[in-house]
Amino acid sequence: MNSNEAPTISRGRFAMLAPRNLFAQYGNTVNVMRKAAASAKIVVKSLRNNISVLMGSGGNIAVLTGKDGKLLIDSGFAVSRTGITNALVGISPDPIKHLINTHWHVDHTDGNEWVHAAGAEILAQEKTREHLLATIRIPLWETTFLPAPAGALPTTVFDAERTVHLNGTTIVLRHYLPAHTDSDISVNFADAEVIHVGDTWWHGYYPFIDYVTGGSIDGAIRAAETNISNTTNSMIIIPGHGEVGDRSQLIEFRDMLVAIRGTVSTLKKQGRSLTDTIAAKPTAAFDAGWGGGLMSPAEFTQLVYTGV
Ligand SMILES: [Zn+2]
């Protein structure tokens, strides 16, 4: 085990801590997400100018339409191909020509292969390609990801920043310092004042943090600060998961992360074990607002404990 991997709680212990107990039914987090995507209706929301968001298949998918063809930000799960295709046809007849991945995780890249086959070039930060090419074990998800097929790989990669001109608008891609992973980017539709911040923001849910590929609670807080600095009150902000929102909600997310980090850090410094820290319910004040998603309060506590 890599020294900075999150320690895992045994399944029996975990089931006791997570009353939802979806894991016993579906096996692991990825299967939970994939199964949800398979039965989800893909919801389309028109945001501003020619930008929409598709919700329901893994991470939120942004869509820019126009004469240069459709640009998708993330590709969801492949099981949603029909639903996503129908949703895209419902927006405009433009063909799919471009795909940008916000980071390497499966709920944002599983559809890459079919989107590429449908005609899209794939652009991503270089670590997204690197991780898609590797075999990566995520202990908390009880999943080992095998190298992605050639057709799913980014066809072009960049390091720190990239500007793209498509459909009469300018799109600025920026790599975050390691945050949720080390491959996270923001995608800023500058003219429309719409930004997709990927999994640096989970709106209304405790975030997953991927310590295996460079994420950490402190990196997640730093990225939340970056998002607050780089947005204005008039911007529409697309999170990786949850409803589209605004800057005031980014601030609430940052404040939640900082508060829980502080509480967990204090408990750990007092010498409490992970089990005792979880039992102390350091997230209790936030659970009603943030605890109903993929990451249970116990799992999120574990993720924070790992990094403090
Ligand atoms: Zn992610």
Side-chain angles (χ1 to χ4, degrees), residues 90-106:
I91 297 172
S92 82
D94 307 315
I96 305 170
K97 288 290 190 186
H98 314 272
L99 168 62
I100 292 170
N101 292 135
T102 59
H103 63 296
W104 75 275
H105 282 157
V106 65

Side-chain angles (χ1 to χ4, degrees), residues 45 47-54 60-66 69-74 98-102 123 162-174 176 185-198 230-232 234-239 244:
K45 289 183 182 170
L47 297 182
R48 194 179 278 161
N49 298 358
N50 45 345
I51 301 165
S52 306
V53 64
L54 308 189
N60 291 328
I61 300 170
V63 183
L64 173 76
T65 61
K70 286 193 181 90
L71 162 66
L72 271 57
I73 313 301
D74 286 342
H98 314 272
L99 168 62
I100 292 170
N101 292 135
T102 59
L123 175 61
R162 179 102 170 192
T163 301
V164 177
H165 301 281
L166 277 178
N167 294 325
T169 197
T170 300
I171 304 139
V172 181
L173 317 181
R174 278 208 188 94
Y176 292 91
I185 61 165
S186 57
V187 180
N188 187 8
F189 300 91
D191 304 314
E193 292 195 291
V194 175
I195 186 168
H196 194 320
V197 296
N230 291 348
T231 52
T232 63
S234 56
M235 288 177 81
I236 295 173
I237 305 162
I238 305 171
V244 169

Side-chain angles (χ1 to χ4, degrees), residues 103-108 141 180-181 184 199 202 208 210 241:
H103 63 296
W104 75 275
H105 282 157
V106 65
D107 48 327
H108 302 257
W141 289 2
H180 163 79
T181 70
D184 307 307
D199 278 1
W202 295 47
F208 176 60
D210 180 0
H241 299 270

